[in-house]
Amino acid sequence: MIKKIIALLVLSILLAGCGGSKRASKRKVTVRSSRATERPVTKKESAPAAVTEETERAYEYAPFNKVEDYIEHFAPIAKEEMRLYKIPASITMAQAVLESGAGNGNLTKKANNHFGIKCHNWTGAVVYHDDDEKGECFRKYRDPKYSFRDHSLFLTGRSRYADLFKLDPDDYKGWARGLRKAGYATDPKYPEKLIAIIERYAMYNYDAEVLGTKIKEFKPEPSDKVVLHTVKKGETLYSISRMYNLTVDELKKNNGLRDNTISIGQQLNVTPQYNGF
């Protein structure tokens, strides 16, 4: 009898232990499930704006120290655009140097816009930048190469530039004058500026490379035409000198300046100095 009672007691203890273990197990599973469901979203996951800014920064590039570095970097793109769209590579590069300040202009640095193309019917990203008027709308590109492609599409897609494509593909002077005549730029000295840049850096050879013609090896004659630059907001003597590959001292000498003070709207003589070129 005593043995039966002991056996019953042992059995009861074992059953109680199993039941407690099962309940503990169930509570444990329930707690894990609840934590997994209610896990808070991390700060990283809930901050897409920061990720977007990071992505935008990935498409920025460091300013170029020399005009020559800028030209060397983008000349292959200009030559490829000439092959595809028949726009002289020399013209594309000269416009890029002039419009972007050789890659160092404010609009270029914040929007990868190398040609100053305004929004018009643009449906992509935009930035607002002071130009002829305050806060004008300009196109923004994720990568500089898209700015060069859009420049080609801009010229080929508008009937007012159609006569340019009737010119010889290496007639950079005709193109420079034709762009001004077609209304691409309001600056009356725009053609002379493009021609001066092309000849100073021998960009006509890019056209020859694409066309498979003889590379020209001559130095341009000194120009008797004065090239003027109208100072825009944010420009300095240093930035303007880089744009035209002059030294600050040359600019000051050309314009009789005693210090580095200039004002918006002021016209500066930026005629290239060919002596020793």
Side-chain angles (χ1 to χ4, degrees):
M1 184 68 178
I2 292 174
K3 289 183 179 180
K4 288 183 179 181
I5 292 172
I6 292 172
L8 288 171
L9 287 172
V10 172
L11 181 60
S12 297
I13 291 170
L14 289 173
L15 290 172
C18 290
S21 175
K22 288 180 181 178
R23 284 193 295 273
S25 176
K26 287 181 181 178
R27 282 196 299 272
K28 191 173 183 181
V29 171
T30 301
V31 169
R32 285 181 178 175
S33 175
S34 174
R35 287 177 180 171
T37 303
E38 297 173 5
R39 178 178 60 85
V41 178
T42 65
K43 190 173 183 180
K44 183 178 180 181
E45 292 170 334
S46 62
V51 175
T52 301
E53 290 172 7
E54 219 171 84
T55 303
E56 288 293 328
R57 286 196 297 272
Y59 290 95
E60 294 179 1
Y61 65 95
F64 293 86
N65 293 324
K66 297 180 181 178
V67 178
E68 291 87 347
D69 293 341
Y70 176 83
I71 294 170
E72 182 180 359
H73 185 84
F74 288 107
I77 297 178
K79 288 190 285 186
E80 179 62 18
E81 294 303 303
M82 182 177 180
R83 294 185 186 98
L84 294 173
Y85 295 95
K86 313 306 178 187
I87 301 167
S90 59
I91 285 291
T92 297
M93 277 311 310
Q95 284 190 285
V97 168
L98 183 59
E99 301 290 347
S100 75
N104 291 285
N106 291 333
L107 177 62
T108 301
K109 288 191 287 187
K110 69 183 181 181
N112 279 320
N113 190 328
H114 289 246
F115 298 91
I117 299 180
K118 297 180 181 179
C119 289
H120 302 294
N121 298 320
W122 180 250
T123 57
V126 303
V127 297
Y128 295 92
H129 178 75
D130 294 346
D131 192 53
D132 296 329
E133 297 178 8
K134 186 176 178 63
E136 291 192 85
C137 183
F138 287 86
R139 302 181 182 190
K140 182 177 182 179
Y141 306 93
R142 295 180 64 199
D143 189 283
K145 66 182 179 182
Y146 299 129
S147 177
F148 279 75
R149 175 56 51 85
D150 200 32
H151 169 262
S152 298
L153 297 175
F154 186 87
L155 294 181
T156 56
R158 286 164 172 74
S159 59
R160 59 176 170 160
Y161 300 116
D163 287 344
L164 292 173
F165 294 89
K166 298 176 184 178
L167 299 171
D168 290 337
D170 59 353
D171 184 4
Y172 63 87
K173 292 182 179 179
W175 266 82
R177 297 183 183 112
L179 283 168
R180 166 75 176 89
K181 184 178 180 180
Y184 187 95
T186 57
D187 182 359
K189 297 294 183 181
Y190 193 74
E192 286 81 2
K193 291 178 182 179
L194 293 184
I195 292 169
I197 293 171
I198 289 170
E199 294 183 344
R200 187 168 185 80
Y201 296 101
M203 292 178 179
Y204 40 73
N205 284 332
Y206 297 141
D207 303 334
E209 290 171 12
V210 173
L211 297 172
T213 56
K214 186 177 179 180
I215 301 296
K216 300 177 183 178
E217 296 182 358
F218 66 87
K219 297 178 181 181
E221 295 296 327
S223 174
D224 58 355
K225 294 182 179 179
V226 175
V227 180
L228 299 177
H229 175 86
T230 302
V231 178
K232 298 182 179 64
K233 183 178 179 180
E235 290 183 331
T236 63
L237 277 183
Y238 178 68
S239 66
I240 295 170
S241 69
R242 289 167 61 85
M243 191 182 303
Y244 295 94
N245 198 33
L246 299 171
T247 66
V248 172
D249 287 339
E250 284 174 333
L251 264 183
K252 291 168 71 174
K253 183 178 179 180
N254 278 2
N255 295 278
L257 300 175
R258 294 186 177 182
D259 55 34
N260 294 344
T261 303
I262 54 176
S263 57
I264 297 173
Q266 180 178 353
Q267 286 196 320
L268 298 177
N269 178 355
V270 292
T271 306
Q273 306 297 306
Y274 290 117
N275 294 333
F277 175 65

